[in-house]
Amino acid sequence: MIKNLRLTQRQLIEAKIQLNDHLVEFNNDTVFFVAIYLTCRITAYKSGKVIFQGNDAEQVSQRFAYLDATDSLESAGSDEVGTGDYFGPVIVCACAIAPEHHDLISRLGVADSKIIADEKILVIGATLIKHLPHSILILGNRKYNEVRINNNLNQIKAKLHNRAFLNLQHKMRTLPKLVVIDQFTPEKNYFAYLSQEPVIFSDLIFATKAESKYPAVACASIIARFVFLQEFEKMNAKYNFYFPKGAGIAVDKAIIEFNQLYPHDLENVAKIHFKNTTKALKENRQ
Ligand code: MG
């Protein structure tokens, strides 16, 4: 697979810094740098053209795609974490970036939080949270299970994103012109879900895979994941129990174990409506 990007000279330098540990030798006067990252070969030409080749070309080029979106330097974005994890809360973060944060964002190697390892999220997230204006909402499991009875997941998300933007707006007094939401439902549905809300923040751009296109969304996604990891640690410590992430077999096993240790606490740590609950507890009874 081959992917292309066109970057400015400054962005080329930033990309080179980010790929510092993956640079390889080359012998070509028109080339600025060559790097191998995952299975992707990245050739950056002095002209600004960057070619990504290999199986991971799509994924790796997306990591740098935000450098291409030069007019999004002053912007706000939101993203959520935890909706696919059986254990743990749902976190939504909205944050804003300005041109003065751009160096920091480049230096940290901000990218889609899904492709950054947890250890790195803990470092980058701690820094971003210190420097960027942000609003974080934590929907704990007990409350989640309560609201889930009368709201579908997208409705819950819509209300949280809306509130996160309103909080951020309150904090900053005014939000940047470009405000992007990582789209989880079409625009029409998003606003339909909010029809009962007293105040609606509506000056939004909806974008899918926004975390790889808009640095503000990438930052929001990292901060949300950072808070999610912290909350997970708190849960592990509180129950002296290792909660697996995701919703796979390890989770099913953990449900059985946890339920034996704490028969009244599952709704405080889990998203009960997931199929895992009935599956694990039913199998355990047999
Ligand atoms: Mg998202």
Side-chain angles (χ1 to χ4, degrees):
M1 180 187 276
I2 298 182
K3 284 265 155 194
N4 295 320
L5 281 181
R6 187 160 284 284
L7 303 182
T8 66
Q9 294 303 311
R10 188 168 167 222
Q11 290 165 342
L12 276 181
I13 294 167
E14 283 164 8
K16 190 177 179 185
I17 292 169
Q18 285 193 32
L19 287 163
N20 194 29
D21 295 341
H22 309 280
L23 298 175
V24 295
E25 296 286 322
F26 64 94
N27 188 8
N28 183 334
D29 276 353
T30 61
V31 171
F32 183 55
F33 70 82
V34 178
I36 309 250
Y37 181 68
L38 302 176
T39 65
C40 178
R41 183 180 178 89
I42 303 153
T43 310
Y45 292 90
K46 289 174 183 166
S47 65
K49 187 173 181 177
V50 185
I51 301 177
F52 300 79
Q53 291 163 290
N55 288 338
D56 296 313
E58 172 90 47
Q59 188 193 347
V60 177
S61 68
Q62 273 184 12
R63 185 184 158 153
F64 295 95
Y66 79 87
L67 288 173
D68 228 5
T70 35
D71 30 329
S72 61
L73 290 184
E74 185 141 20
S75 57
S78 69
D79 201 4
E80 81 283 333
V81 166
T83 53
D85 295 278
Y86 178 77
F87 291 114
V90 170
I91 315 284
V92 172
C93 173
C95 73
I97 57 169
E100 71 255 31
H101 300 125
H102 193 228
D103 285 346
L104 174 82
I105 291 169
S106 307
R107 205 168 59 238
L108 291 174
V110 166
D112 179 1
S113 73
K114 288 187 245 7
I115 63 170
I116 304 180
D118 286 354
E119 300 76 44
K120 206 175 165 201
I121 291 279
L122 290 173
V123 178
I124 304 179
T127 311
L128 290 179
I129 225 169
K130 233 187 274 165
H131 289 92
L132 304 183
H134 63 272
S135 155
I136 294 162
L137 295 172
I138 302 175
L139 181 63
N141 291 95
R142 181 177 273 275
K143 183 80 183 162
Y144 175 94
N145 291 320
E146 225 175 270
V147 295
R148 186 64 178 76
I149 297 169
N150 294 317
N151 295 270
N152 71 38
L153 184 57
N154 283 340
Q155 201 160 8
I156 294 172
K157 285 192 208 174
K159 288 176 182 174
L160 290 171
H161 279 261
N162 183 53
R163 233 190 313 144
F165 280 125
L166 290 173
N167 290 351
L168 185 65
Q169 189 178 35
H170 184 75
K171 240 186 194 176
M172 298 179 70
R173 287 169 193 269
T174 162
L175 287 185
K177 278 202 187 74
L178 177 66
V179 181
V180 186
I181 183 167
D182 185 34
Q183 179 176 330
F184 50 85
T185 187
E187 184 170 352
K188 206 171 124 242
N189 299 1
Y190 177 84
F191 289 114
Y193 290 136
L194 297 177
S195 59
Q196 304 295 315
E197 294 297 290
V199 191
I200 299 169
F201 182 83
S202 58
D203 218 354
L204 275 174
I205 285 184
F206 290 72
T208 52
K209 293 194 181 150
E211 68 283 342
S212 54
K213 297 174 199 150
Y214 297 93
V217 177
C219 291
S221 147
I222 289 171
I223 293 175
R225 178 123 196 113
F226 171 72
V227 175
F228 181 76
L229 293 175
Q230 280 187 323
E231 291 298 309
F232 233 80
E233 276 311 306
K234 281 189 212 162
M235 253 171 46
N236 286 340
K238 181 176 173 188
Y239 291 99
N240 190 24
F241 187 84
Y242 173 75
F243 292 99
K245 302 202 181 73
I249 295 166
V251 163
D252 295 341
K253 282 187 191 150
I255 296 171
I256 296 165
E257 242 177 88
F258 183 82
N259 202 47
Q260 280 164 355
L261 292 167
Y262 305 96
H264 307 295
D265 276 306
L266 195 59
E267 66 177 46
N268 296 325
V269 297
K271 301 179 186 82
I272 297 293
H273 68 95
F274 276 40
K275 287 192 190 83
N276 302 66
T277 311
T278 43
K279 196 176 148 222
L281 297 181
K282 193 170 86 197
E283 275 171 13
N284 194 35
R285 275 201 297 275
Q286 283 165 358

